[in-house]
Amino acid sequence: MLETSPVVQADARARLWEGGVIPAQPLALTRDRTFDERRQRAILRYHVESGSLGIATAVHSTQFSVHDEHRAYLAPLLELAAETVAEYPNQKPLLVAGVTGMVPKARQTAELAAGLGYDFVLLSGYGCDDLDERQLLDRAAAVSEVLPVIGFYLQPAVGGRVLSTDYWRRMAELPNVVGIKVAPFDRYGTLDVMQGLALSERADQVALYTGNDDNIVFDLVSRFPALNARGDRVDLTFRGGLLGQWAVWTKTAVETLEVTRRARNGDVEATREALRISQALTDANGAIFDAKNGFKGVIPGIHEVLRRHGLLEGIWLLDETETLSPGQLREIDRVWDAYPELRDDAFIAEHLDRWLR
Protein backbone atom coordinates (compact mmCIF):
# COMPACT_ATOMS: atom_id res chain seq x y z
CA MET A 1 0.00 0.00 0.00
CA LEU A 2 1.25 3.50 -0.83
CA GLU A 3 2.09 5.29 2.41
CA THR A 4 0.71 8.81 2.61
CA SER A 5 2.56 11.20 4.90
CA PRO A 6 0.69 13.10 7.63
CA VAL A 7 1.69 16.35 5.90
CA VAL A 8 0.11 15.24 2.62
CA GLN A 9 -3.04 14.09 4.43
CA ALA A 10 -3.30 17.40 6.27
CA ASP A 11 -2.92 19.32 3.02
CA ALA A 12 -5.67 17.28 1.36
CA ARG A 13 -8.00 17.90 4.31
CA ALA A 14 -7.25 21.63 4.25
CA ARG A 15 -8.00 21.82 0.55
CA LEU A 16 -11.25 19.88 0.99
CA TRP A 17 -12.24 22.38 3.66
CA GLU A 18 -11.31 25.31 1.43
CA GLY A 19 -13.89 23.97 -1.01
CA GLY A 20 -14.43 23.63 -4.70
CA VAL A 21 -15.97 21.69 -7.55
CA ILE A 22 -15.64 17.90 -7.49
CA PRO A 23 -17.32 16.33 -10.54
CA ALA A 24 -18.52 12.74 -10.32
CA GLN A 25 -17.01 10.67 -13.11
CA PRO A 26 -19.13 8.86 -15.70
CA LEU A 27 -17.79 5.59 -17.10
CA ALA A 28 -16.70 5.75 -20.74
CA LEU A 29 -17.57 2.59 -22.67
CA THR A 30 -17.20 1.54 -26.27
CA ARG A 31 -20.11 0.30 -28.38
CA ASP A 32 -19.38 -3.28 -27.26
CA ARG A 33 -19.26 -2.10 -23.64
CA THR A 34 -15.56 -2.41 -23.01
CA PHE A 35 -13.66 0.25 -21.10
CA ASP A 36 -12.89 3.23 -23.36
CA GLU A 37 -9.66 4.46 -21.78
CA ARG A 38 -9.11 7.18 -24.40
CA ARG A 39 -12.41 8.90 -23.77
CA GLN A 40 -12.18 8.37 -20.01
CA ARG A 41 -8.89 10.26 -20.03
CA ALA A 42 -10.46 13.00 -22.14
CA ILE A 43 -13.28 13.48 -19.63
CA LEU A 44 -10.84 13.54 -16.73
CA ARG A 45 -8.68 16.13 -18.50
CA TYR A 46 -11.76 18.22 -19.22
CA HIS A 47 -12.76 18.16 -15.57
CA VAL A 48 -9.30 19.00 -14.25
CA GLU A 49 -8.61 21.77 -16.77
CA SER A 50 -12.00 23.29 -15.99
CA GLY A 51 -10.58 24.13 -12.56
CA SER A 52 -11.99 21.31 -10.46
CA LEU A 53 -10.70 20.83 -6.93
CA GLY A 54 -10.85 17.07 -7.35
CA ILE A 55 -12.30 14.05 -9.10
CA ALA A 56 -14.73 11.47 -7.69
CA THR A 57 -14.53 8.06 -9.37
CA ALA A 58 -16.48 4.80 -8.99
CA VAL A 59 -19.42 6.72 -7.50
CA HIS A 60 -23.12 6.70 -8.40
CA SER A 61 -22.63 8.61 -11.68
CA THR A 62 -19.96 6.07 -12.65
CA GLN A 63 -22.59 3.32 -12.12
CA PHE A 64 -22.43 1.40 -8.85
CA SER A 65 -22.30 -1.85 -10.81
CA VAL A 66 -18.70 -0.97 -11.72
CA HIS A 67 -17.95 -2.44 -8.28
CA ASP A 68 -19.28 -5.86 -9.32
CA GLU A 69 -16.32 -8.22 -9.31
CA HIS A 70 -17.25 -9.90 -12.59
CA ARG A 71 -16.96 -6.53 -14.38
CA ALA A 72 -13.22 -6.21 -13.68
CA TYR A 73 -13.43 -2.47 -14.37
CA LEU A 74 -12.93 -1.00 -10.91
CA ALA A 75 -9.15 -1.29 -10.58
CA PRO A 76 -8.39 -0.13 -14.15
CA LEU A 77 -10.73 2.84 -13.73
CA LEU A 78 -9.27 3.96 -10.41
CA GLU A 79 -5.75 3.50 -11.75
CA LEU A 80 -6.43 5.45 -14.94
CA ALA A 81 -7.97 8.33 -12.98
CA ALA A 82 -4.91 8.50 -10.72
CA GLU A 83 -2.55 8.41 -13.70
CA THR A 84 -4.44 11.15 -15.52
CA VAL A 85 -4.64 13.44 -12.50
CA ALA A 86 -0.87 13.01 -12.13
CA GLU A 87 -0.51 14.88 -15.44
CA TYR A 88 -1.31 18.03 -13.45
CA PRO A 89 1.34 18.21 -10.69
CA ASN A 90 0.86 21.93 -10.12
CA GLN A 91 -2.90 21.65 -9.68
CA LYS A 92 -2.79 18.39 -7.66
CA PRO A 93 -6.49 17.54 -7.90
CA LEU A 94 -7.87 15.60 -4.97
CA LEU A 95 -8.75 11.97 -5.66
CA VAL A 96 -11.97 10.55 -4.22
CA ALA A 97 -12.89 6.87 -4.65
CA GLY A 98 -16.43 5.61 -4.27
CA VAL A 99 -16.85 2.70 -1.86
CA THR A 100 -19.87 0.40 -1.64
CA GLY A 101 -20.80 -2.94 -0.09
CA MET A 102 -20.30 -4.66 3.24
CA VAL A 103 -17.20 -4.18 5.39
CA PRO A 104 -14.83 -6.66 3.70
CA LYS A 105 -15.59 -5.36 0.20
CA ALA A 106 -15.65 -1.73 1.36
CA ARG A 107 -12.25 -2.03 3.04
CA GLN A 108 -10.84 -3.85 0.02
CA THR A 109 -11.85 -0.99 -2.27
CA ALA A 110 -10.49 1.56 0.18
CA GLU A 111 -7.17 -0.30 0.33
CA LEU A 112 -7.02 -0.39 -3.47
CA ALA A 113 -7.62 3.36 -3.57
CA ALA A 114 -5.05 4.03 -0.85
CA GLY A 115 -2.47 2.06 -2.80
CA LEU A 116 -3.11 4.27 -5.83
CA GLY A 117 -2.66 7.48 -3.86
CA TYR A 118 -6.28 8.47 -3.35
CA ASP A 119 -7.00 11.08 -0.70
CA PHE A 120 -10.51 10.12 0.42
CA VAL A 121 -13.29 7.59 -0.03
CA LEU A 122 -16.92 8.54 -0.61
CA LEU A 123 -18.80 5.97 1.44
CA SER A 124 -22.35 5.21 0.33
CA GLY A 125 -24.72 2.71 1.89
CA TYR A 126 -25.32 1.03 -1.47
CA GLY A 127 -25.29 -2.75 -1.11
CA CYS A 128 -25.95 -2.58 2.64
CA ASP A 129 -29.73 -2.77 2.79
CA ASP A 130 -29.72 -5.19 5.71
CA LEU A 131 -27.62 -2.98 7.98
CA ASP A 132 -29.20 -0.69 10.55
CA GLU A 133 -27.77 2.75 11.38
CA ARG A 134 -25.49 1.43 14.12
CA GLN A 135 -24.05 -1.19 11.77
CA LEU A 136 -23.57 1.41 9.05
CA LEU A 137 -21.60 3.52 11.52
CA ASP A 138 -19.44 0.53 12.49
CA ARG A 139 -18.78 0.03 8.79
CA ALA A 140 -17.80 3.69 8.39
CA ALA A 141 -15.39 3.39 11.31
CA ALA A 142 -13.79 0.29 9.77
CA VAL A 143 -13.32 1.95 6.39
CA SER A 144 -11.97 5.14 7.97
CA GLU A 145 -9.07 3.11 9.35
CA VAL A 146 -7.86 2.80 5.73
CA LEU A 147 -8.59 6.26 4.28
CA PRO A 148 -10.40 9.40 5.47
CA VAL A 149 -14.12 9.13 4.79
CA ILE A 150 -16.62 11.46 3.15
CA GLY A 151 -20.07 10.31 4.24
CA PHE A 152 -22.77 10.15 1.58
CA TYR A 153 -26.48 10.85 2.07
CA LEU A 154 -27.72 9.24 -1.16
CA GLN A 155 -31.27 9.97 -2.26
CA PRO A 156 -33.69 7.04 -1.90
CA ALA A 157 -34.80 7.23 -5.56
CA VAL A 158 -31.40 5.89 -6.69
CA GLY A 159 -30.63 3.41 -3.92
CA GLY A 160 -30.24 5.45 -0.75
CA ARG A 161 -32.30 5.48 2.43
CA VAL A 162 -33.60 7.98 4.98
CA LEU A 163 -31.05 8.53 7.76
CA SER A 164 -31.63 10.22 11.11
CA THR A 165 -30.14 13.34 12.66
CA ASP A 166 -28.50 11.10 15.27
CA TYR A 167 -26.88 9.04 12.54
CA TRP A 168 -25.21 12.13 11.10
CA ARG A 169 -24.15 13.30 14.55
CA ARG A 170 -22.46 9.99 15.25
CA MET A 171 -20.98 9.83 11.74
CA ALA A 172 -19.44 13.29 12.18
CA GLU A 173 -18.01 12.26 15.55
CA LEU A 174 -15.82 9.61 13.89
CA PRO A 175 -12.36 11.23 13.93
CA ASN A 176 -11.41 10.23 10.38
CA VAL A 177 -14.65 11.42 8.79
CA VAL A 178 -13.60 14.59 6.97
CA GLY A 179 -16.68 15.46 4.92
CA ILE A 180 -20.30 14.72 4.11
CA LYS A 181 -21.88 14.76 0.67
CA VAL A 182 -25.46 15.83 1.31
CA ALA A 183 -27.65 14.44 -1.48
CA PRO A 184 -31.07 13.34 -0.19
CA PHE A 185 -32.78 15.69 -2.71
CA ASP A 186 -34.94 16.71 0.25
CA ARG A 187 -34.87 19.92 2.30
CA TYR A 188 -35.79 18.19 5.54
CA GLY A 189 -33.13 15.53 5.07
CA THR A 190 -30.55 18.20 4.29
CA LEU A 191 -31.44 20.01 7.53
CA ASP A 192 -31.13 16.72 9.45
CA VAL A 193 -27.48 16.54 8.36
CA MET A 194 -26.89 20.13 9.43
CA GLN A 195 -28.35 19.56 12.88
CA GLY A 196 -26.44 16.31 13.32
CA LEU A 197 -23.14 17.95 12.36
CA ALA A 198 -23.78 20.87 14.74
CA LEU A 199 -24.50 18.47 17.63
CA SER A 200 -21.28 16.57 16.96
CA GLU A 201 -19.09 19.55 17.87
CA ARG A 202 -17.01 18.87 14.75
CA ALA A 203 -18.70 21.44 12.53
CA ASP A 204 -15.31 23.11 11.97
CA GLN A 205 -13.67 19.85 10.91
CA VAL A 206 -16.19 18.13 8.61
CA ALA A 207 -16.56 19.75 5.18
CA LEU A 208 -20.09 19.82 3.78
CA TYR A 209 -20.48 19.30 0.03
CA THR A 210 -23.81 19.56 -1.70
CA GLY A 211 -24.95 16.64 -3.78
CA ASN A 212 -28.47 18.03 -4.15
CA ASP A 213 -28.31 18.43 -7.91
CA ASP A 214 -31.85 19.81 -7.86
CA ASN A 215 -30.86 22.70 -5.56
CA ILE A 216 -27.17 23.36 -6.17
CA VAL A 217 -27.07 27.14 -6.12
CA PHE A 218 -29.53 27.50 -3.23
CA ASP A 219 -27.37 25.20 -1.13
CA LEU A 220 -24.19 27.10 -1.96
CA VAL A 221 -25.49 30.61 -1.24
CA SER A 222 -27.21 29.64 2.02
CA ARG A 223 -26.17 29.74 5.63
CA PHE A 224 -27.86 26.98 7.61
CA PRO A 225 -28.62 27.78 11.29
CA ALA A 226 -28.42 24.89 13.75
CA LEU A 227 -27.99 24.39 17.49
CA ASN A 228 -24.94 22.70 18.97
CA ALA A 229 -24.94 20.45 22.04
CA ARG A 230 -24.75 23.49 24.36
CA GLY A 231 -27.79 25.07 22.74
CA ASP A 232 -25.75 27.74 20.98
CA ARG A 233 -26.58 28.64 17.41
CA VAL A 234 -24.03 27.92 14.69
CA ASP A 235 -24.32 28.77 11.00
CA LEU A 236 -23.14 26.03 8.64
CA THR A 237 -22.28 26.38 4.96
CA PHE A 238 -21.46 24.12 2.06
CA ARG A 239 -17.80 24.28 1.05
CA GLY A 240 -18.55 23.18 -2.51
CA GLY A 241 -20.26 20.48 -4.48
CA LEU A 242 -19.58 16.84 -5.31
CA LEU A 243 -22.09 16.33 -8.05
CA GLY A 244 -23.14 14.27 -11.03
CA GLN A 245 -24.53 17.44 -12.61
CA TRP A 246 -21.02 18.89 -12.52
CA ALA A 247 -19.77 16.00 -14.67
CA VAL A 248 -21.12 18.22 -17.47
CA TRP A 249 -20.53 21.94 -18.04
CA THR A 250 -17.78 21.80 -15.43
CA LYS A 251 -16.00 25.04 -16.29
CA THR A 252 -19.28 26.92 -15.89
CA ALA A 253 -19.75 25.11 -12.56
CA VAL A 254 -16.43 26.48 -11.32
CA GLU A 255 -17.52 29.98 -12.30
CA THR A 256 -20.91 29.47 -10.65
CA LEU A 257 -19.30 28.42 -7.37
CA GLU A 258 -17.38 31.68 -7.30
CA VAL A 259 -20.59 33.64 -7.88
CA THR A 260 -22.27 31.85 -4.98
CA ARG A 261 -19.36 32.60 -2.66
CA ARG A 262 -19.62 36.31 -3.42
CA ALA A 263 -23.39 36.17 -2.99
CA ARG A 264 -23.13 34.46 0.40
CA ASN A 265 -20.78 37.23 1.51
CA GLY A 266 -23.34 39.92 0.67
CA ASP A 267 -22.52 40.93 -2.92
CA VAL A 268 -25.90 42.12 -4.24
CA GLU A 269 -25.09 41.75 -7.94
CA ALA A 270 -23.70 38.27 -7.33
CA THR A 271 -26.89 37.38 -5.46
CA ARG A 272 -29.01 38.43 -8.45
CA GLU A 273 -26.79 36.40 -10.76
CA ALA A 274 -26.91 33.37 -8.47
CA LEU A 275 -30.71 33.45 -8.37
CA ARG A 276 -30.84 33.60 -12.16
CA ILE A 277 -28.42 30.70 -12.53
CA SER A 278 -30.27 28.70 -9.88
CA GLN A 279 -33.51 28.44 -11.82
CA ALA A 280 -31.81 27.70 -15.13
CA LEU A 281 -29.55 25.04 -13.62
CA THR A 282 -32.37 23.31 -11.77
CA ASP A 283 -34.44 23.19 -14.95
CA ALA A 284 -31.49 21.80 -16.92
CA ASN A 285 -30.81 19.24 -14.22
CA GLY A 286 -34.43 18.11 -14.26
CA ALA A 287 -34.03 17.15 -17.91
CA ILE A 288 -30.56 15.63 -17.65
CA PHE A 289 -31.41 13.67 -14.50
CA ASP A 290 -34.85 12.64 -15.75
CA ALA A 291 -36.74 13.97 -12.74
CA LYS A 292 -40.11 13.44 -14.45
CA ASN A 293 -39.48 9.69 -14.55
CA GLY A 294 -38.16 9.25 -11.02
CA PHE A 295 -34.52 9.72 -12.11
CA LYS A 296 -34.46 6.50 -14.12
CA GLY A 297 -32.49 8.17 -16.90
CA VAL A 298 -30.03 10.10 -14.74
CA ILE A 299 -26.82 8.39 -15.89
CA PRO A 300 -27.82 8.11 -19.59
CA GLY A 301 -28.71 11.82 -19.39
CA ILE A 302 -25.20 12.73 -18.26
CA HIS A 303 -23.76 10.58 -21.04
CA GLU A 304 -26.00 12.22 -23.64
CA VAL A 305 -24.70 15.68 -22.78
CA LEU A 306 -21.08 14.51 -22.93
CA ARG A 307 -21.81 12.77 -26.23
CA ARG A 308 -23.10 16.01 -27.73
CA HIS A 309 -19.83 17.67 -26.81
CA GLY A 310 -17.78 14.86 -28.41
CA LEU A 311 -16.34 13.59 -25.14
CA LEU A 312 -18.26 10.31 -25.36
CA GLU A 313 -18.98 8.32 -28.50
CA GLY A 314 -22.32 7.02 -27.25
CA ILE A 315 -24.48 6.64 -24.15
CA TRP A 316 -23.76 2.95 -23.57
CA LEU A 317 -23.96 1.77 -19.95
CA LEU A 318 -23.00 -1.46 -18.23
CA ASP A 319 -26.67 -2.45 -18.08
CA GLU A 320 -27.77 -2.82 -21.70
CA THR A 321 -31.39 -2.13 -20.73
CA GLU A 322 -30.58 1.23 -19.12
CA THR A 323 -31.10 4.15 -21.47
CA LEU A 324 -32.90 7.48 -21.80
CA SER A 325 -36.53 7.54 -20.69
CA PRO A 326 -39.37 8.25 -23.13
CA GLY A 327 -39.48 12.01 -23.64
CA GLN A 328 -36.13 12.64 -21.94
CA LEU A 329 -34.26 13.39 -25.16
CA ARG A 330 -36.85 16.02 -26.03
CA GLU A 331 -36.40 17.59 -22.60
CA ILE A 332 -32.61 17.65 -23.02
CA ASP A 333 -33.08 19.31 -26.43
CA ARG A 334 -35.22 21.96 -24.77
CA VAL A 335 -32.79 22.89 -21.99
CA TRP A 336 -29.85 22.66 -24.39
CA ASP A 337 -31.42 25.39 -26.50
CA ALA A 338 -32.79 27.39 -23.55
CA TYR A 339 -29.55 27.79 -21.56
CA PRO A 340 -26.51 28.09 -23.85
CA GLU A 341 -24.81 30.13 -21.11
CA LEU A 342 -24.57 26.99 -18.96
CA ARG A 343 -22.70 25.00 -21.60
CA ASP A 344 -18.95 24.78 -22.09
CA ASP A 345 -19.18 24.65 -25.89
CA ALA A 346 -16.24 26.89 -26.81
CA PHE A 347 -13.95 25.58 -24.08
CA ILE A 348 -14.52 21.94 -25.02
CA ALA A 349 -14.23 22.58 -28.76
CA GLU A 350 -10.90 24.35 -28.25
CA HIS A 351 -9.29 21.49 -26.32
CA LEU A 352 -11.14 18.31 -27.32
CA ASP A 353 -8.62 17.03 -29.88
CA ARG A 354 -5.77 17.38 -27.38
CA TRP A 355 -7.77 15.72 -24.59
CA LEU A 356 -8.49 12.77 -26.88
CA ARG A 357 -4.86 12.24 -27.80
Side-chain angles (χ1 to χ4, degrees):
M1 182 184 297
L2 181 69
E3 293 292 334
T4 304
S5 73
V7 173
V8 171
Q9 289 182 349
D11 176 69
R13 290 186 185 215
R15 293 174 62 213
L16 186 73
W17 180 261
E18 183 179 347
V21 168
I22 303 179
Q25 285 293 294
L27 176 66
L29 297 175
T30 64
R31 185 182 298 274
D32 60 0
R33 290 179 167 78
T34 59
F35 186 30
D36 191 336
E37 295 187 11
R38 174 170 167 261
R39 291 188 179 275
Q40 194 74 54
R41 286 188 189 276
I43 294 169
L44 285 157
R45 289 165 176 162
Y46 162 50
H47 288 160
V48 173
E49 293 185 27
S50 292
S52 297
L53 171 67
I55 299 295
T57 306
V59 293
H60 172 253
S61 295
T62 318
Q63 302 167 67
F64 281 140
S65 56
V66 77
H67 290 267
D68 294 347
E69 292 184 5
H70 73 277
R71 303 281 186 189
Y73 286 162
L74 180 61
L77 174 63
L78 292 176
E79 184 175 358
L80 184 141
E83 289 175 354
T84 306
V85 162
E87 296 174 3
Y88 302 90
N90 294 329
Q91 192 169 338
K92 296 181 180 178
L94 299 175
L95 282 165
V96 181
V99 169
T100 66
M102 305 293 276
V103 170
K105 179 177 176 58
R107 282 184 61 104
Q108 182 181 31
T109 304
E111 288 165 358
L112 170 63
L116 293 169
Y118 277 69
D119 299 290
F120 311 109
V121 297
L122 180 66
L123 183 65
S124 80
Y126 187 84
C128 301
D129 294 344
D130 294 333
L131 300 186
D132 60 24
E133 288 191 353
R134 181 189 59 77
Q135 292 168 320
L136 286 173
L137 289 162
D138 290 343
R139 170 177 173 264
V143 174
S144 73
E145 294 172 354
V146 182
L147 271 178
V149 164
I150 300 172
F152 186 2
Y153 199 165
L154 176 66
Q155 65 157 319
V158 294
R161 69 169 82 174
V162 175
L163 295 162
S164 69
T165 296
D166 188 61
Y167 172 85
W168 292 112
R169 175 187 64 79
R170 295 169 66 191
M171 170 69 82
E173 286 172 347
L174 295 173
N176 215 23
V177 168
V178 296
I180 299 173
K181 172 180 174 173
V182 186
F185 281 47
D186 176 87
R187 291 294 89 193
Y188 301 111
T190 296
L191 294 173
D192 284 342
V193 178
M194 299 297 173
Q195 188 58 45
L197 177 57
L199 290 170
S200 76
E201 301 291 350
R202 291 190 71 229
D204 60 346
Q205 300 173 56
V206 176
L208 291 169
Y209 275 68
T210 181
N212 289 318
D213 303 75
D214 63 337
N215 242 316
I216 299 169
V217 174
F218 180 81
D219 276 355
L220 292 171
V221 301
S222 297
R223 296 183 184 275
F224 294 83
L227 298 179
N228 65 20
R230 297 182 302 277
D232 300 324
R233 174 170 155 161
V234 294
D235 286 340
L236 304 178
T237 59
F238 283 103
R239 316 305 298 181
L242 199 169
L243 294 153
Q245 174 63 41
W246 282 355
V248 306
W249 308 338
T250 312
K251 188 173 187 296
T252 301
V254 172
E255 296 164 357
T256 297
L257 178 60
E258 181 56 35
V259 170
T260 65
R261 285 171 167 170
R262 297 202 310 271
R264 197 170 64 208
N265 289 327
D267 185 316
V268 175
E269 287 303 316
T271 300
R272 291 194 184 102
E273 178 65 4
L275 291 174
R276 184 195 64 78
I277 295 170
S278 180
Q279 305 312 314
L281 186 56
T282 297
D283 188 22
N285 174 259
I288 296 167
F289 273 35
D290 193 29
K292 291 182 178 179
N293 294 290
F295 303 96
K296 292 180 181 178
V298 51
I299 298 175
I302 292 170
H303 281 230
E304 171 61 18
V305 173
L306 294 172
R307 184 199 64 78
R308 293 182 183 209
H309 285 300
L311 285 156
L312 286 176
E313 186 181 0
I315 65 169
W316 308 297
L317 304 186
L318 293 171
D319 182 349
E320 296 185 16
T321 67
E322 191 173 354
T323 188
L324 296 170
S325 293
Q328 187 180 1
L329 189 60
R330 184 169 59 252
E331 276 291 283
I332 293 175
D333 287 340
R334 179 183 63 80
V335 299
W336 186 275
D337 293 338
Y339 309 116
E341 71 274 16
L342 295 179
R343 307 194 318 250
D344 289 341
D345 295 5
F347 177 66
I348 295 172
E350 179 183 358
H351 299 289
L352 182 59
D353 287 345
R354 176 173 56 81
W355 292 337
L356 286 167
R357 282 201 294 269

